[in-house]
Amino acid sequence: MEDANVRDSTGYRSADRRLSTLGRHLGALSPSSAASRLPPMASENPTGTIAPSPTAGFYGGSVFAHVVQAPEDPILGVTVAYNKDPSPVKVNLGVGAYRTEEGKPLVLNVVRRAEQMLVNDPSRVKEYLPITGLAEFNKLSAKLIFGSDSPAIQENRVATVQCLSGTGSLRVGTEFLARHYRERTIYIPQPTWGNHPKVFTLGGLSVKTYRYYDPVTRGLNIQGLLEDLSSAPSGAIVLLHACAHNPTGVDPTLDQWEQIRKLMRSKGLLPFFDSAYQGFASGSLDADAQSVRMFVADGGECLMAQSYAKNMGLYGERVGALSIVCRSADVAVRVESQLKLVIRPMYSNPPIHGASIVAAILKDRALFHEWTVELKAMADRIISMRQMLFDALRARGTPGDWSHIIKQIGMFTFTGLNSEQVAFMTKEYHIYMTSDGRISMAGLSSKTVPHLADAIHAAVTRTN
Ligand code: PGU
């Protein structure tokens, strides 16, 4: 092979020579032939040298010059700002990602063990998975959320596909609904995870909100919720956080879930569950799935987006599943066939590694047990951070009732601090959190609680 960069005696690179020969050859053809379809360079340039195409940006301007700078993501952008801050006392309470008491990311022991098993197994290959993902992973994921004795699973009424974590599952479910469901409106709680409205809108649905959180009581606005769902059009889709509502940390009680279920079923509203925190609310996988299981037990249909980012600490592996619970097995088969048509042109098929880790853990009794112990330990550490922060504010006599810190559940505390107070805490104390006043309790440690309490105290007493 000739090296394209080698120069001949006249100083021409061989690639230039080839192009110029090609140009001369094409120039000899009739104007209506190939030469007229080429950019002016080769065919109309008598010297045979290559002239730049007007779209190549050679004349100074980029063809993308009009592209405006986009803002950082409201949640992931907090980490970007945190990383730029040289302060040794900085704390990142923005992203919902678990940290150890030492402030370090945690890879669960059980995950390390499962990975080791996978690496040591020479029969494992890196072939493409099917469009729907790892079949074993899908079955086990459905069992984990719906319960191993779920009639819907036993009757083969659940179509499950492996997706790219919770976000990917939500997106695939949305695109399926936009194509195949009669009602295009989805009701989402006010407030909710900031990415929800973007996923649903770009996936082809129109978004409306229902009342959820009452800032006065810092609890659930069940009255407002029921009223808003009552006035939703029949058949509308409703997004429900399965547990550990993000960002408020406020969940309905089981009685309230039952009220919501009855109302939704009587109006034919379609539940779309988002389960990103199973096991993080109570420390128990089964207890955290109760809301979902109530809806599946009545025989009705629903969608479920599951994520293993938090509960197995597999954030960057992007492991999740979308399940659609259908009325009958034959509907589920057809639904699955259509989900494949959504997935194939989007990313073809999902990655193999993370799903293999999850499947290895879920199918093995000992590993599963080890996982539940580690999960409970994470949940417990978060709960102890709640108590510690509450006590620290009390000790400082910080004005206000801070009991919501210990009442709220899951990864986050919705502090009630406003965006000005948040900006003050970031500027003066290097505490990074989302501007809605949400803090990730999982990012705290007993070493950083006093610093956070000082910051909150100062924000509340100085900027009000
Ligand atoms: N659904 C909810 C309710 C979530 O809180 C999150 C993650 C997801 C879905 C998506 O998680 P996956 O990683 O795609 O499985 N929320 C976190 C993580 C950061 C982010 O915004 O993606 C958060 O801090 O809110």
Side-chain angles (χ1 to χ4, degrees):
M1 272 286 282
E2 194 183 4
D3 183 343
N5 284 313
V6 170
R7 287 168 193 272
D8 66 15
S9 54
T10 61
Y12 266 87
R13 289 187 310 138
S14 58
D16 293 341
R17 221 180 330 111
R18 274 203 304 273
L19 278 170
S20 115
T21 311
L22 177 69
R24 276 199 303 278
H25 171 73
L26 290 172
L29 297 173
S30 78
S32 62
S33 67
S36 64
R37 294 196 301 272
L38 275 178
M41 55 178 193
S43 57
E44 290 160 25
N45 190 335
T47 64
T49 54
I50 309 290
S53 142
T55 55
F58 270 61
Y59 297 122
S62 163
V63 292
F64 304 116
H66 60 286
V67 174
V68 296
Q69 180 68 37
E72 287 288 356
D73 181 82
I75 298 175
L76 301 182
V78 174
T79 302
V80 175
Y82 168 84
N83 287 337
K84 285 185 191 155
D85 186 341
S87 166
V89 298
K90 66 181 178 175
V91 187
N92 187 4
L93 306 176
V95 68
Y98 186 81
R99 296 285 176 267
T100 62
E101 188 42 37
E102 287 70 45
K104 297 271 187 299
L106 178 69
V107 179
L108 300 184
N109 275 329
V110 69
V111 166
R112 294 249 191 247
R113 289 227 285 155
E115 271 186 319
Q116 208 56 60
M117 281 168 45
L118 297 177
V119 170
N120 292 343
D121 179 354
S123 72
R124 297 194 66 81
V125 290
K126 302 284 187 189
E127 287 294 280
Y128 289 130
L129 285 179
I131 297 171
T132 51
L134 196 63
E136 190 178 39
F137 164 86
N138 290 338
K139 275 209 181 79
L140 293 161
S141 294
K143 273 191 184 173
L144 183 72
I145 189 71
F146 300 124
S148 47
D149 55 351
S150 167
I153 295 177
Q154 280 157 11
E155 293 156 18
N156 295 318
R157 294 192 281 111
V158 186
T160 304
V161 289
Q162 180 193 333
C163 294
L164 304 188
S165 213
T167 310
S169 307
L170 288 165
R171 183 65 187 257
V172 169
T174 302
E175 303 234 355
F176 170 83
L177 290 171
R179 285 188 204 182
H180 299 286
Y181 186 57
R182 65 189 163 95
E183 184 53 61
R184 297 281 152 76
T185 306
I186 184 161
Y187 284 72
I188 63 174
Q190 173 60 29
T192 191
W193 177 48
N195 212 19
H196 276 147
K198 298 171 200 170
V199 169
F200 298 133
T201 308
L202 289 171
L205 298 176
S206 73
V207 171
K208 289 207 168 117
T209 58
Y210 62 87
R211 279 171 285 171
Y212 188 85
Y213 180 74
D214 183 347
V216 177
T217 62
R218 293 201 170 117
L220 184 70
N221 181 355
I222 184 70
Q223 209 51 44
L225 181 155
L226 293 172
E227 276 170 28
D228 290 349
L229 295 190
S230 300
S231 47
S234 146
I237 308 153
V238 178
L239 176 79
L240 300 165
H241 294 225
C243 71
H245 182 272
N246 177 8
T248 66
V250 173
D251 283 355
T253 62
L254 284 182
D255 281 349
Q256 289 167 334
W257 272 120
E258 181 56 14
Q259 284 176 276
I260 297 167
R261 188 196 64 79
K262 274 199 184 125
L263 171 69
M264 285 184 57
R265 291 309 195 197
S266 73
K267 288 210 56 170
L269 301 174
L270 181 65
F272 193 160
F273 279 101
D274 181 352
S275 177
Y277 299 95
Q278 188 182 1
F280 256 100
S282 65
S284 152
L285 289 158
D286 286 324
D288 286 358
Q290 290 228 47
S291 59
V292 177
R293 293 180 189 175
M294 283 164 69
F295 277 76
V296 176
D298 68 14
E301 301 183 301
C302 70
L303 283 84
M304 158 56 61
Q306 260 173 293
S307 167
Y308 290 97
K310 328 280 166 140
N311 58 12
M312 256 189 220
L314 291 174
Y315 307 90
E317 295 289 357
R318 312 309 291 146
V319 205
L322 171 74
S323 288
I324 304 190
V325 178
C326 305
R327 279 269 183 218
S328 63
D330 64 312
V331 174
V333 169
R334 281 180 275 134
V335 163
E336 186 184 308
S337 73
Q338 289 294 339
L339 287 172
K340 285 159 75 171
L341 298 193
V342 173
I343 292 167
R344 173 68 168 143
M346 212 191 272
Y347 53 86
S348 193
N349 47 70
I352 197 167
H353 187 67
S356 305
I357 296 172
V358 173
I361 293 171
L362 296 185
K363 75 177 175 196
D364 182 280
R365 255 172 172 264
L367 291 182
F368 185 88
H369 177 72
E370 192 178 335
W371 175 42
T372 59
V373 172
E374 288 190 77
L375 179 56
K376 176 90 170 51
M378 289 195 284
D380 285 349
R381 199 185 82 74
I382 294 172
I383 291 167
S384 75
M385 287 302 110
R386 291 185 179 283
Q387 190 64 48
M388 210 177 271
L389 179 60
F390 176 71
D391 292 345
L393 290 171
R394 266 242 178 117
R396 282 161 182 72
T398 308
D401 173 9
W402 297 95
S403 61
H404 56 287
I405 295 177
I406 41 180
K407 284 188 206 138
Q408 293 172 356
I409 52 174
M411 247 185 179
F412 304 108
T413 290
F414 205 46
T415 58
L417 295 164
N418 61 37
S419 57
E420 264 173 48
Q421 292 168 324
V422 170
F424 168 84
M425 287 166 57
T426 306
K427 187 162 173 279
E428 303 295 330
Y429 287 81
H430 307 274
I431 304 241
Y432 288 80
M433 54 195 277
T434 53
S435 62
D436 59 1
R438 183 191 88 166
I439 55 180
S440 172
M441 299 306 287
L444 274 177
S445 70
S446 45
K447 280 180 229 97
T448 52
V449 163
H451 182 58
L452 174 62
D454 288 345
I456 294 178
H457 186 86
V460 169
T461 50
R462 290 186 211 176
T463 59
N464 259 345

